[in-house]
Amino acid sequence: MVFDNTRMGGDARENAARLLVTPSGLVELSPADAREVVGFMRPKRVPSGSVLIREGEAADVDAMMLILEGEVTVEYEVASPHETMVVSILGPGGLIGEMGLLDGSPRSATCTAMTDLAVAVLTRGALRHLIDECPDVAARLLLSISTRLSDRLRESNRKLRTFAQLSRALQQELDATHSVNLRLLGIETPKT
């Protein structure tokens, strides 16, 4: 266990466990489960401006990070690496890298430290140790991460439906404007 009393004070470990079960974290875990999970995490300091995760890149270490102190921007490429859209700003209790922890695939977003950070890192290797040593806690952790990812997928689906409706409305508006322009120019509109 990395968050033991020789490496990190009990208060820091308790704070990390408390943050893990906040609404921005894994609210489905019990406080006891969170303390157990935090015992398999390692603390890390990250300077402001550092890129923690880069979209499209495979991670050297598949890991999930719990933000203990500071803020992180989460952004996606829109059209090119130079055109990005910030989709969220996460603070204490926020999690990044859960999908990479589970599947090891290239990262789906870029996460950058807006401020100096303190994070707790759970690597895939540490997750395997948790599975071996505390399978019941590991199962609840994985279920909690899965629930979180399902919630985000449902929210993305809702946004996609909204964008599709907006796109349809814009296309209808463009079609109507085009039809009016053709009539003003005296050009016959094609029959459909």
Side-chain angles (χ1 to χ4, degrees):
M1 292 190 198
V2 178
F3 273 102
D4 62 18
N5 290 331
T6 60
R7 298 214 25 172
M8 189 165 212
D11 287 344
R13 184 176 177 174
E14 274 303 309
N15 182 51
R18 183 184 55 76
L19 288 171
L20 188 59
V21 295
T22 60
S24 59
L26 300 173
V27 71
E28 297 87 3
L29 287 180
S30 72
D33 288 343
R35 283 190 292 279
E36 196 66 48
V37 170
V38 166
F40 286 84
M41 299 174 100
R42 63 178 169 77
K44 181 177 181 180
R45 292 275 178 192
V46 180
S48 178
S50 298
V51 175
L52 298 136
I53 294 171
R54 189 173 307 277
E55 183 176 356
E57 290 184 359
D60 292 333
V61 176
D62 297 320
M64 174 179 79
M65 291 177 228
L66 169 66
I67 302 166
L68 303 173
E69 297 171 7
E71 291 186 326
V72 172
T73 60
V74 180
E75 56 191 342
Y76 299 107
E77 290 180 8
V78 177
S80 72
H82 304 292
E83 294 182 59
T84 61
M85 177 176 64
V86 173
V87 292
S88 68
I89 297 174
L90 303 174
L95 289 171
I96 59 172
E98 315 93 307
M99 292 189 317
L101 175 70
L102 297 179
D103 68 7
S105 294
R107 299 304 186 151
S108 62
T110 297
C111 299
T112 306
M114 288 178 56
T115 63
D116 289 343
L117 297 176
V119 297
V121 180
L122 180 67
T123 64
R124 186 179 288 175
L127 176 60
R128 286 189 182 113
H129 289 298
L130 177 64
I131 290 168
D132 291 342
E133 294 179 28
C134 306
D136 53 336
V137 172
R140 288 190 291 275
L141 171 66
L142 293 171
L143 183 59
S144 186
I145 291 171
S146 298
T147 300
R148 178 182 165 88
L149 294 175
S150 293
D151 290 345
R152 286 204 318 233
L153 180 59
R154 282 189 179 84
E155 179 62 16
S156 293
N157 286 342
R158 185 194 63 73
K159 288 177 182 176
L160 281 174
R161 278 193 299 278
T162 300
F163 288 138
Q165 291 168 348
L166 179 61
S167 177
R168 189 172 27 257
L170 288 171
Q171 186 61 53
Q172 289 170 348
E173 185 68 26
L174 286 171
D175 290 346
T177 301
H178 181 66
S179 180
V180 167
N181 287 338
L182 289 176
R183 278 196 305 262
L184 289 172
L185 293 171
I187 301 172
E188 182 89 18
T189 58
K191 305 282 186 207
T192 56

